[in-house]
Amino acid sequence: MATSSTVQVSLPMPKIPRARRSPADIAAAAPVTGERHVLLAAPRGYCAGVDRAVIAVEKALEHYGAPVYVRKQIVHNLHVVSTLEARGAIFVEENDEVPEGALVVFSAHGVSPAVVASAADRNLRTIDATCPLVTKVHKEAVRFAREDYEILLIGHEGHEEVEGTFGEAPDHTQIVNNPDEADTIEVTNPDKLIWLSQTTLSVDETMETVRRLRARFPKLQDPPSDDICYATTNRQDAIKAISPKSDLVIVVGSANSSNSVRLVEVALEYGAKAAHRVDYASEVDEAWFEGVATVGVTSGASVPEVLVRDVLALLADYGYGSVEEVTTAQEDILFSLPKEIRAKLKEAGDDSRGPGGRITKSDISS
């Protein structure tokens, strides 16, 4: 007779909502001088590459059906990932976790040729959702390696984007993590040297790294065009504009989002008295509002606008109902969906692109 066995499952403790102090309690703890208001940075939130990658997974689920496997997080945002999981996406770390012959989407951060090859070995059907701006850096790495340049890749070792770019030319590439490493890194041929970078870095820190590299290697060449993407630059410029006027800055974004983490650093560097990153409005500590008249708000390039609205609603509850949007750039960039998705949509007669990631004035007032 077969015997049954008991499998013990460890369940996480349920989260208990934290009891918030009232607006009156906060006001009593530290009176505010002046009118409470919010400076809302623009641009913020979804960039074109994130928009494209998220829609690619949504359309894959719609037309291929669940499950759709995704290697790594499609973009670095907890809310986006959990929402797609609820619709049938399965996120994996490596291709060997995907059943042979199944459909897998490569994330917006890009993959190395070795990852592409391993997918082919397992007969996986692939959709490449790599951001076109990351693809541009990959092509630069291939080109300069072919021309026998030594490549200094400025970026964070271990980040998925850096792993993908490094994998295009590992024998020609060294990673430079920060300005201090620029002072110690050694190269083989300083006369044939070029730098490339991760697309989501701090613009100021990257330029400092380049300055220090060039002080040691005067013939260091620049990439043909900026590697740091337009969205990263624009969001950093916007936070620079509001930080000097902000007693507190709240950045909406996930801990593994490089560009979101950088926004907190930039806010502090440019004059914000305090700056914090949160995934959700529920993570905002009302104690941060003590003595605060002006709150700056922004979000990283992989953050849907609904999460920002939740933070604004919380702020309104605490007396910060006046919102001024501070715009430093206009964005109208859209990228075509991955070719595999475009072909599937054409086959199905689906001429919809899906929701866009642009932010307009009407979005704020509605």
Side-chain angles (χ1 to χ4, degrees):
M1 182 176 67
T3 59
S4 62
S5 60
T6 302
V7 178
Q8 294 193 3
V9 179
S10 177
L11 296 176
M13 290 292 291
K15 289 186 177 180
I16 301 174
R18 180 171 60 83
R20 287 192 176 277
R21 294 159 64 195
S22 70
D25 288 341
I26 296 300
V32 173
T33 302
E35 180 186 356
R36 293 182 179 87
H37 66 289
V38 174
L39 297 177
L40 182 60
R44 65 183 176 278
Y46 266 17
C47 65
V50 165
D51 192 26
R52 172 183 187 265
V54 174
I55 292 172
V57 177
E58 292 173 341
K59 290 297 183 182
L61 287 165
E62 183 179 339
H63 288 282
Y64 290 97
V68 168
Y69 292 86
V70 184
R71 183 184 180 276
K72 307 290 187 181
Q73 292 186 2
I74 186 66
V75 297
H76 285 161
N77 184 264
L78 292 178
H79 178 79
V80 170
V81 169
S82 62
T83 300
L84 292 173
E85 282 180 328
R87 296 181 59 175
I90 298 176
F91 292 87
V92 299
E93 286 299 303
E94 298 298 345
N95 289 334
D96 58 12
E97 300 173 56
V98 182
E100 288 204 18
L103 178 68
V104 63
V105 181
F106 295 146
S107 81
H109 308 102
V111 297
S112 68
V115 172
V116 176
S118 74
D121 290 342
R122 295 182 60 77
N123 297 312
L124 301 181
R125 295 170 291 148
T126 61
I127 295 172
D128 187 358
T130 302
C131 173
L133 299 179
V134 175
T135 299
K136 176 188 79 72
V137 182
H138 281 220
K139 290 180 177 178
E140 289 172 350
V142 172
R143 168 191 162 188
F144 288 109
R146 186 185 303 122
E147 296 174 5
D148 205 29
Y149 276 84
E150 194 166 347
I151 300 166
L152 297 180
L153 176 58
I154 302 172
H156 300 136
E157 191 166 4
H159 189 281
E160 290 147 45
E161 182 186 329
V162 171
E163 289 179 350
T165 303
F166 180 86
E168 294 285 359
D171 295 336
H172 288 76
T173 306
Q174 292 191 74
I175 298 170
V176 185
N177 283 278
N178 52 54
D180 288 342
E181 288 192 5
D183 296 334
T184 58
I185 196 163
E186 297 297 334
V187 303
T188 304
N189 184 2
D191 293 331
K192 202 165 187 182
L193 192 63
I194 190 163
W195 68 271
L196 304 177
S197 82
Q198 182 180 332
T199 63
T200 55
L201 299 177
S202 161
V203 177
D204 294 340
E205 183 175 308
T206 300
M207 291 302 99
E208 173 62 12
T209 301
V210 172
R211 185 191 68 78
R212 288 161 74 165
L213 285 170
R214 185 162 284 123
R216 297 182 62 215
F217 311 115
K219 293 187 178 180
L220 176 70
Q221 294 188 36
D222 297 328
S225 59
D226 288 342
D227 283 349
I228 296 178
C229 84
Y230 77 94
T232 298
T233 300
N234 287 348
R235 279 145 193 74
Q236 289 179 19
D237 286 345
I239 202 65
K240 289 174 184 178
I242 67 173
S243 292
K245 309 169 189 174
S246 299
D247 302 307
L248 165 69
V249 166
I250 298 174
V251 176
V252 185
S254 293
N256 63 338
S257 166
S258 178
N259 73 88
S260 297
V261 172
R262 298 290 84 72
L263 287 173
V264 175
E265 296 172 352
V266 172
L268 292 170
E269 182 181 351
Y270 277 79
K273 294 181 177 65
H276 302 278
R277 180 201 55 77
V278 299
D279 270 293
Y280 298 101
S282 60
E283 298 173 1
V284 173
D285 187 340
E286 68 275 8
W288 298 343
F289 305 149
E290 293 181 5
V292 166
T294 304
V295 181
V297 175
T298 191
S299 58
S302 52
V303 178
E305 182 68 3
V306 63
L307 301 183
V308 175
R309 293 192 185 195
D310 289 345
V311 169
L312 294 178
L314 175 67
L315 286 167
D317 289 342
Y318 280 82
Y320 301 90
S322 173
V323 179
E324 176 190 352
E325 188 171 42
V326 178
T327 302
T328 55
Q330 297 291 338
E331 293 180 354
D332 57 3
I333 295 175
L334 292 174
F335 292 135
S336 297
L337 292 173
K339 63 181 185 299
E340 303 90 350
I341 290 292
R342 295 201 307 271
K344 189 66 175 179
L345 297 186
K346 183 176 181 180
E347 176 188 318
D350 181 351
D351 59 0
S352 67
R353 187 187 182 279
R358 310 288 68 78
I359 298 170
T360 65
K361 291 286 186 182
S362 62
D363 291 328
I364 306 306
S365 57
S366 61

